Amino acid sequence: MWYINFRQWGDCMFMGEYQHNIDTKGRLIIPAKFREHMMAGFVITRGLDDCLFGYPMAEWEKLEQKLKQLPLTKRDNRAFTRFFFSGATEVDLDKSGRINIPNNLLSFAKIEKECVILGVSNRIEIWDQAKWQSYYEDSTESFADLAENMFDSNIDF
């Protein structure tokens, strides 16, 4: 039987796929299961693959410490940290369980209305729905190859 041992990475906070709409003011309803992890503060920033990444404050602080360790003498390190941190913004949940995503981040991820919120262990990802569907379909074909390559990384399934 195959299983993923998440305990080696710590507790799995976010998982699942949820479809929601962004309203005309840039507000997005956060799935109820995710909200408890956002109460102490939450940061949204530019992610990879044209999506947004969202981190609870404790996870963001861990990531920030790791990125501070990167040598500034390397051009790629400077470029990545500039891009990543300059897009970051702290967001709060309103009484209706929504966050307000700034226009610059919505533009970056090309999110206009329909979106998908993914739980990905210690972060959430927010995707334009059509972009996610395309990415998902492309990745489904190579999922077995991805899993095989993870064995090389000593990931225990």
Tab-separated table of all heavy atoms in Angstrom, residues 128-154:
chain	number	residue	atom	x	y	z
A	128	ASP	N	-6.200	31.037	-11.158
A	128	ASP	CA	-7.284	31.261	-12.090
A	128	ASP	C	-7.817	29.880	-12.461
A	128	ASP	O	-7.039	28.947	-12.701
A	128	ASP	CB	-6.764	31.987	-13.335
A	128	ASP	CG	-7.796	32.022	-14.433
A	128	ASP	OD1	-8.741	32.812	-14.325
A	128	ASP	OD2	-7.664	31.215	-15.389
A	129	GLN	N	-9.140	29.716	-12.494
A	129	GLN	CA	-9.715	28.385	-12.695
A	129	GLN	C	-9.289	27.755	-14.027
A	129	GLN	O	-8.923	26.578	-14.059
A	129	GLN	CB	-11.240	28.442	-12.614
A	129	GLN	CG	-11.876	27.071	-12.692
A	129	GLN	CD	-13.380	27.108	-12.489
A	129	GLN	OE1	-13.991	28.165	-12.475
A	129	GLN	NE2	-13.959	25.951	-12.314
A	130	ALA	N	-9.314	28.502	-15.112
A	130	ALA	CA	-8.928	27.947	-16.414
A	130	ALA	C	-7.449	27.572	-16.429
A	130	ALA	O	-7.063	26.531	-16.980
A	130	ALA	CB	-9.245	28.938	-17.526
A	131	LYS	N	-6.622	28.402	-15.810
A	131	LYS	CA	-5.185	28.109	-15.747
A	131	LYS	C	-4.927	26.838	-14.929
A	131	LYS	O	-4.105	26.009	-15.294
A	131	LYS	CB	-4.452	29.292	-15.122
A	131	LYS	CG	-3.187	29.637	-15.832
A	131	LYS	CD	-2.607	30.879	-15.206
A	131	LYS	CE	-1.979	31.777	-16.195
A	131	LYS	NZ	-1.316	31.201	-17.297
A	132	TRP	N	-5.632	26.697	-13.796
A	132	TRP	CA	-5.481	25.500	-12.980
A	132	TRP	C	-5.920	24.262	-13.762
A	132	TRP	O	-5.249	23.236	-13.749
A	132	TRP	CB	-6.261	25.589	-11.672
A	132	TRP	CG	-6.336	24.259	-10.974
A	132	TRP	CD1	-7.442	23.490	-10.795
A	132	TRP	CD2	-5.247	23.516	-10.422
A	132	TRP	NE1	-7.104	22.315	-10.144
A	132	TRP	CE2	-5.761	22.307	-9.910
A	132	TRP	CE3	-3.879	23.757	-10.304
A	132	TRP	CZ2	-4.966	21.346	-9.300
A	132	TRP	CZ3	-3.085	22.793	-9.688
A	132	TRP	CH2	-3.631	21.616	-9.197
A	133	GLN	N	-7.035	24.352	-14.444
A	133	GLN	CA	-7.536	23.208	-15.201
A	133	GLN	C	-6.512	22.769	-16.247
A	133	GLN	O	-6.248	21.577	-16.403
A	133	GLN	CB	-8.883	23.536	-15.862
A	133	GLN	CG	-9.565	22.339	-16.460
A	133	GLN	CD	-9.908	21.271	-15.419
A	133	GLN	OE1	-10.296	21.585	-14.302
A	133	GLN	NE2	-9.741	20.026	-15.785
A	134	SER	N	-5.926	23.721	-16.939
A	134	SER	CA	-4.907	23.411	-17.942
A	134	SER	C	-3.675	22.777	-17.292
A	134	SER	O	-3.148	21.771	-17.775
A	134	SER	CB	-4.522	24.688	-18.692
A	134	SER	OG	-3.474	24.445	-19.585
A	135	TYR	N	-3.213	23.382	-16.190
A	135	TYR	CA	-2.051	22.847	-15.479
A	135	TYR	C	-2.337	21.426	-14.985
A	135	TYR	O	-1.517	20.525	-15.127
A	135	TYR	CB	-1.697	23.763	-14.302
A	135	TYR	CG	-0.498	23.287	-13.524
A	135	TYR	CD1	0.782	23.656	-13.908
A	135	TYR	CD2	-0.642	22.463	-12.409
A	135	TYR	CE1	1.889	23.219	-13.207
A	135	TYR	CE2	0.455	22.014	-11.706
A	135	TYR	CZ	1.722	22.399	-12.103
A	135	TYR	OH	2.816	21.947	-11.416
A	136	TYR	N	-3.521	21.232	-14.421
A	136	TYR	CA	-3.913	19.928	-13.889
A	136	TYR	C	-3.926	18.876	-14.995
A	136	TYR	O	-3.393	17.774	-14.822
A	136	TYR	CB	-5.291	20.044	-13.228
A	136	TYR	CG	-5.804	18.739	-12.682
A	136	TYR	CD1	-5.406	18.293	-11.424
A	136	TYR	CD2	-6.676	17.941	-13.421
A	136	TYR	CE1	-5.875	17.087	-10.920
A	136	TYR	CE2	-7.139	16.736	-12.919
A	136	TYR	CZ	-6.730	16.315	-11.677
A	136	TYR	OH	-7.182	15.111	-11.181
A	137	GLU	N	-4.525	19.202	-16.123
A	137	GLU	CA	-4.592	18.245	-17.229
A	137	GLU	C	-3.206	17.893	-17.743
A	137	GLU	O	-2.913	16.732	-18.022
A	137	GLU	CB	-5.466	18.799	-18.350
A	137	GLU	CG	-6.939	18.809	-17.986
A	137	GLU	CD	-7.811	19.577	-18.963
A	137	GLU	OE1	-7.285	20.058	-20.006
A	137	GLU	OE2	-9.015	19.704	-18.677
A	138	ASP	N	-2.328	18.900	-17.866
A	138	ASP	CA	-0.955	18.635	-18.313
A	138	ASP	C	-0.195	17.786	-17.308
A	138	ASP	O	0.573	16.898	-17.678
A	138	ASP	CB	-0.198	19.943	-18.543
A	138	ASP	CG	-0.713	20.723	-19.738
A	138	ASP	OD1	-1.465	20.153	-20.557
A	138	ASP	OD2	-0.373	21.919	-19.836
A	139	SER	N	-0.394	18.058	-16.025
A	139	SER	CA	0.344	17.350	-14.975
A	139	SER	C	-0.173	15.945	-14.737
A	139	SER	O	0.590	15.062	-14.331
A	139	SER	CB	0.283	18.131	-13.665
A	139	SER	OG	0.891	19.382	-13.819
A	140	THR	N	-1.454	15.715	-14.972
A	140	THR	CA	-2.034	14.391	-14.761
A	140	THR	C	-1.316	13.343	-15.585
A	140	THR	O	-1.043	12.241	-15.121
A	140	THR	CB	-3.541	14.403	-15.098
A	140	THR	OG1	-4.176	15.337	-14.237
A	140	THR	CG2	-4.167	13.040	-14.898
A	141	GLU	N	-0.964	13.711	-16.809
A	141	GLU	CA	-0.274	12.783	-17.698
A	141	GLU	C	1.107	12.408	-17.172
A	141	GLU	O	1.588	11.316	-17.423
A	141	GLU	CB	-0.174	13.380	-19.096
A	141	GLU	CG	-1.530	13.555	-19.754
A	141	GLU	CD	-1.433	14.246	-21.099
A	141	GLU	OE1	-0.320	14.357	-21.641
A	141	GLU	OE2	-2.489	14.680	-21.593
A	142	SER	N	1.749	13.307	-16.453
A	142	SER	CA	3.109	13.036	-15.981
A	142	SER	C	3.172	12.719	-14.489
A	142	SER	O	4.266	12.638	-13.924
A	142	SER	CB	4.011	14.228	-16.298
A	142	SER	OG	3.553	15.384	-15.630
A	143	PHE	N	2.019	12.517	-13.834
A	143	PHE	CA	1.995	12.285	-12.390
A	143	PHE	C	2.832	11.070	-11.994
A	143	PHE	O	3.584	11.121	-11.018
A	143	PHE	CB	0.551	12.134	-11.907
A	143	PHE	CG	0.434	12.026	-10.413
A	143	PHE	CD1	0.760	13.094	-9.599
A	143	PHE	CD2	0.007	10.853	-9.820
A	143	PHE	CE1	0.655	13.007	-8.225
A	143	PHE	CE2	-0.098	10.751	-8.435
A	143	PHE	CZ	0.220	11.830	-7.643
A	144	ALA	N	2.741	9.981	-12.743
A	144	ALA	CA	3.524	8.781	-12.427
A	144	ALA	C	5.018	9.068	-12.526
A	144	ALA	O	5.801	8.606	-11.687
A	144	ALA	CB	3.137	7.626	-13.354
A	145	ASP	N	5.415	9.843	-13.524
A	145	ASP	CA	6.834	10.201	-13.663
A	145	ASP	C	7.292	11.080	-12.504
A	145	ASP	O	8.399	10.918	-11.988
A	145	ASP	CB	7.080	10.933	-14.984
A	145	ASP	CG	6.868	10.044	-16.199
A	145	ASP	OD1	7.019	8.804	-16.070
A	145	ASP	OD2	6.551	10.591	-17.271
A	146	LEU	N	6.426	12.026	-12.107
A	146	LEU	CA	6.767	12.881	-10.967
A	146	LEU	C	6.972	12.041	-9.711
A	146	LEU	O	7.925	12.244	-8.957
A	146	LEU	CB	5.665	13.910	-10.723
A	146	LEU	CG	5.463	14.982	-11.775
A	146	LEU	CD1	4.183	15.761	-11.504
A	146	LEU	CD2	6.653	15.915	-11.814
A	147	ALA	N	6.061	11.093	-9.480
A	147	ALA	CA	6.172	10.228	-8.301
A	147	ALA	C	7.453	9.407	-8.350
A	147	ALA	O	8.141	9.255	-7.335
A	147	ALA	CB	4.958	9.304	-8.211
A	148	GLU	N	7.787	8.894	-9.514
A	148	GLU	CA	9.011	8.099	-9.649
A	148	GLU	C	10.239	8.933	-9.325
A	148	GLU	O	11.146	8.494	-8.637
A	148	GLU	CB	9.118	7.545	-11.070
A	148	GLU	CG	10.302	6.607	-11.244
A	148	GLU	CD	10.317	5.963	-12.623
A	148	GLU	OE1	9.230	5.644	-13.142
A	148	GLU	OE2	11.420	5.784	-13.151
A	149	ASN	N	10.256	10.186	-9.781
A	149	ASN	CA	11.392	11.071	-9.507
A	149	ASN	C	11.490	11.429	-8.035
A	149	ASN	O	12.574	11.695	-7.533
A	149	ASN	CB	11.305	12.330	-10.357
A	149	ASN	CG	11.544	12.043	-11.815
A	149	ASN	OD1	12.218	11.070	-12.171
A	149	ASN	ND2	10.986	12.869	-12.676
A	150	MET	N	10.371	11.436	-7.335
A	150	MET	CA	10.401	11.742	-5.912
A	150	MET	C	11.095	10.642	-5.121
A	150	MET	O	11.651	10.909	-4.065
A	150	MET	CB	8.991	11.985	-5.383
A	150	MET	CG	8.401	13.282	-5.888
A	150	MET	SD	6.744	13.570	-5.290
A	150	MET	CE	7.081	13.987	-3.576
A	151	PHE	N	11.068	9.428	-5.616
A	151	PHE	CA	11.792	8.361	-4.926
A	151	PHE	C	13.273	8.692	-4.843
A	151	PHE	O	13.936	8.351	-3.886
A	151	PHE	CB	11.594	7.020	-5.636
A	151	PHE	CG	10.272	6.384	-5.314
A	151	PHE	CD1	9.306	6.251	-6.293
A	151	PHE	CD2	9.991	5.932	-4.045
A	151	PHE	CE1	8.092	5.675	-6.009
A	151	PHE	CE2	8.776	5.359	-3.741
A	151	PHE	CZ	7.822	5.220	-4.730
A	152	ASP	N	13.787	9.378	-5.865
A	152	ASP	CA	15.181	9.785	-5.846
A	152	ASP	C	15.459	10.798	-4.731
A	152	ASP	O	16.586	10.997	-4.333
A	152	ASP	CB	15.582	10.386	-7.189
A	152	ASP	CG	15.494	9.370	-8.324
A	152	ASP	OD1	15.566	8.149	-8.038
A	152	ASP	OD2	15.339	9.801	-9.484
A	153	SER	N	14.410	11.453	-4.242
A	153	SER	CA	14.550	12.459	-3.192
A	153	SER	C	14.363	11.869	-1.794
A	153	SER	O	14.233	12.602	-0.829
A	153	SER	CB	13.511	13.565	-3.405
A	153	SER	OG	13.653	14.142	-4.662
A	154	ASN	N	14.273	10.568	-1.691
A	154	ASN	CA	14.078	9.878	-0.415
A	154	ASN	C	12.758	10.235	0.251
A	154	ASN	O	12.661	10.300	1.477
A	154	ASN	CB	15.247	10.133	0.539
A	154	ASN	CG	16.530	9.540	0.029
A	154	ASN	OD1	16.526	8.433	-0.537
A	154	ASN	ND2	17.623	10.252	0.193
